[in-house]
Amino acid sequence: MISGQATAPAPSSARTPAPAPSSAAARSAADAGSGKGAILRAARRAFTQRPYAEVTIRGIAADAGVSPSLVVKHFGRKEELFNTVADFGPAAAELFDAPLEALGRHMVVTLVNHRRELQSDPLLRVVFSLGNQDERSLLRDRFHEQVTDTLTARLPGRERALRAELIAGHLLGLGATLSLHREGAGADATTEHIADLYAPALQSLIDGA
Amino acid sequence: MISGQATAPAPSSARTPAPAPSSAAARSAADAGSGKGAILRAARRAFTQRPYAEVTIRGIAADAGVSPSLVVKHFGRKEELFNTVADFGPAAAELFDAPLEALGRHMVVTLVNHRRELQSDPLLRVVFSLGNQDERSLLRDRFHEQVTDTLTARLPGRERALRAELIAGHLLGLGATLSLHREGAGADATTEHIADLYAPALQSLIDGA
């Protein structure tokens, strides 16, 4: 669970077709550093920073240093590319892939390792879209469905939706502060040590204590 | 500490000149709902969503529904307006205004009340700037200085910088998830109940336990 994606092929077979539908996270794992990875990073930047109507394949291609036709070849047209970027399903599958009694630590370790290995956060891009009021609510709708609602369904006990929202907050906040303090103390700390300090809060909300 | 800004005049005297240097948070309290408030909200949107060079007083004025000259009259030119928006000092003063043994709960209660009363988050706008790599690093530099470093200096014990970064993460995450789930369970919960569930994580990091 540390080095790979739960739903992605192993890195050594990354270039073979994935059995599951392709997705942003699976593609990130397979294509980190390649042209595809650069296109996805550019697409995430574009879709989270500009109104949907202002985003162009040409602009994403220029940002990624590739031709517009290569973008379309790999990911299809604008709507398809947006759907790929807005998919939190594989990230959620990986984050939630642990028994309840170990889920808090698993989520923290998985999130930090994902960030360090893929140079991207599995969830944080939904926050970049918050300042905007336009059709990009798809990103938020997907987050609700694939992250918050999925987590709510896993939790035992009372006030499951509220606890799931607060757990999502802890996860988003961890990504936010690590992004914000790229050269800070968190950057020097081991994943396990960050989990020692940060995961008890998540586990407490999971347990419903 | 619940209804006002630590450094702002009381609401009843909101229209009189403030004795302290004016600031985004103090102005938010004083001008919520007025033209000034609309200008500040438009400025925050603009400066966190677009490269600094692309932001114009004209665009902010149009978004706020006022004339460009009114923007300049209230807040000065673009650089001055940016400096106002990028100031986390008053928010930090309010968030950290409690003894250490009660600071975790105070921060959560203050953040949630600030959001509910002013319809804006005291810290979250720094996250909106993360996706960008341009001169808006001023927003991040100010956050480091006014929030993280200030908190680090308050903490007892070891690994203070790391703990301060993680506390900042919890606070950013709380704002992020409440913004993301505007009609969710968190919106219906009382501030005190959110603090019951969320503040122990912060207090644990404050105590260094």
Side-chain angles (χ1 to χ4, degrees):
Chain A
M1 290 316 307
I2 287 175
S3 64
Q5 297 285 337
T7 58
S12 60
S13 62
R15 298 291 165 190
T16 64
S22 58
S23 69
R27 281 173 170 161
S28 292
D31 305 311
S34 78
K36 280 188 178 179
I39 293 167
L40 283 170
R41 284 189 293 276
R44 286 193 195 106
R45 272 193 296 273
F47 284 121
T48 51
Q49 288 171 26
R50 296 182 180 282
Y52 181 86
E54 285 181 20
V55 174
T56 62
I57 292 286
R58 179 185 295 271
I60 289 168
D63 189 20
V66 302
S67 69
S69 61
L70 192 70
V71 175
V72 175
K73 181 186 163 199
H74 284 319
F75 296 102
R77 306 202 65 82
K78 187 166 92 172
E79 187 180 347
E80 296 165 87
L81 181 53
F82 178 79
N83 284 337
T84 298
V85 169
D87 186 7
F88 295 102
E94 187 183 15
L95 283 166
F96 303 157
D97 184 25
L100 279 180
E101 64 271 19
L103 185 56
R105 187 174 191 92
H106 171 81
M107 289 193 291
V108 171
V109 167
T110 301
L111 185 134
V112 175
N113 281 334
H114 181 115
R115 290 179 52 89
R116 290 181 172 182
E117 289 160 15
L118 302 179
Q119 280 83 53
S120 77
D121 192 282
L123 303 176
L124 192 59
R125 62 187 177 279
V126 74
V127 177
F128 300 152
S129 76
L130 279 174
N132 311 298
Q133 283 120 18
D134 62 20
E135 58 277 84
R136 270 171 300 168
S137 66
L138 174 60
L139 208 64
R140 302 192 275 278
D141 293 344
R142 288 275 184 85
F143 188 94
H144 293 166
E145 183 187 316
Q146 298 178 319
V147 179
T148 319
D149 294 352
T150 303
L151 189 52
T152 299
R154 284 284 309 273
L155 295 180
R158 298 169 54 227
E159 300 188 301
R160 297 179 303 145
L162 177 59
R163 285 154 53 212
E165 287 178 20
L166 297 178
I167 290 168
H170 285 307
L171 290 171
L172 291 168
L174 181 57
T177 200
L178 291 175
S179 288
L180 193 55
H181 302 93
R182 284 198 187 282
E183 300 175 1
D188 294 331
T190 65
T191 302
E192 297 298 331
H193 189 50
I194 292 173
D196 291 340
L197 293 172
Y198 204 85
L202 286 85
Q203 192 60 47
S204 173
L205 287 166
I206 292 164
D207 297 338
Chain B
M1 292 313 308
I2 286 175
S3 64
Q5 296 287 335
T7 57
S12 60
S13 62
R15 299 291 165 190
T16 63
S22 57
S23 68
R27 281 174 170 161
S28 292
D31 305 311
S34 77
K36 280 188 178 181
I39 294 167
L40 283 171
R41 284 190 293 276
R44 287 193 195 105
R45 273 194 294 274
F47 284 121
T48 51
Q49 288 171 26
R50 295 181 182 283
Y52 182 87
E54 283 182 20
V55 175
T56 62
I57 292 287
R58 179 185 295 270
I60 290 168
D63 189 20
V66 302
S67 69
S69 61
L70 192 70
V71 175
V72 175
K73 181 186 164 202
H74 285 319
F75 296 103
R77 307 201 65 82
K78 188 166 92 170
E79 187 179 347
E80 296 166 88
L81 182 54
F82 178 79
N83 284 337
T84 298
V85 169
D87 186 7
F88 296 101
E94 188 183 13
L95 284 166
F96 303 156
D97 184 26
L100 278 181
E101 65 271 19
L103 186 56
R105 188 176 190 90
H106 171 81
M107 289 193 290
V108 171
V109 167
T110 302
L111 185 134
V112 176
N113 281 334
H114 181 115
R115 289 179 53 90
R116 290 180 172 182
E117 288 160 16
L118 302 179
Q119 281 82 51
S120 78
D121 192 283
L123 303 176
L124 193 59
R125 62 187 177 280
V126 74
V127 177
F128 299 154
S129 76
L130 278 175
N132 310 299
Q133 283 117 21
D134 61 19
E135 58 276 86
R136 271 171 300 166
S137 66
L138 175 59
L139 208 64
R140 302 192 275 278
D141 292 346
R142 286 273 184 85
F143 188 94
H144 292 166
E145 182 187 318
Q146 297 177 320
V147 179
T148 319
D149 293 353
T150 302
L151 189 52
T152 299
R154 284 283 309 273
L155 295 180
R158 298 168 55 226
E159 300 188 302
R160 296 180 302 145
L162 177 58
R163 285 154 54 210
E165 287 178 20
L166 296 178
I167 291 167
H170 285 308
L171 290 170
L172 292 168
L174 180 56
T177 200
L178 292 175
S179 289
L180 192 56
H181 302 93
R182 283 199 188 281
E183 300 175 1
D188 294 331
T190 65
T191 301
E192 296 298 332
H193 189 51
I194 292 172
D196 291 341
L197 293 172
Y198 204 86
L202 286 85
Q203 192 61 46
S204 173
L205 286 166
I206 291 164
D207 297 337

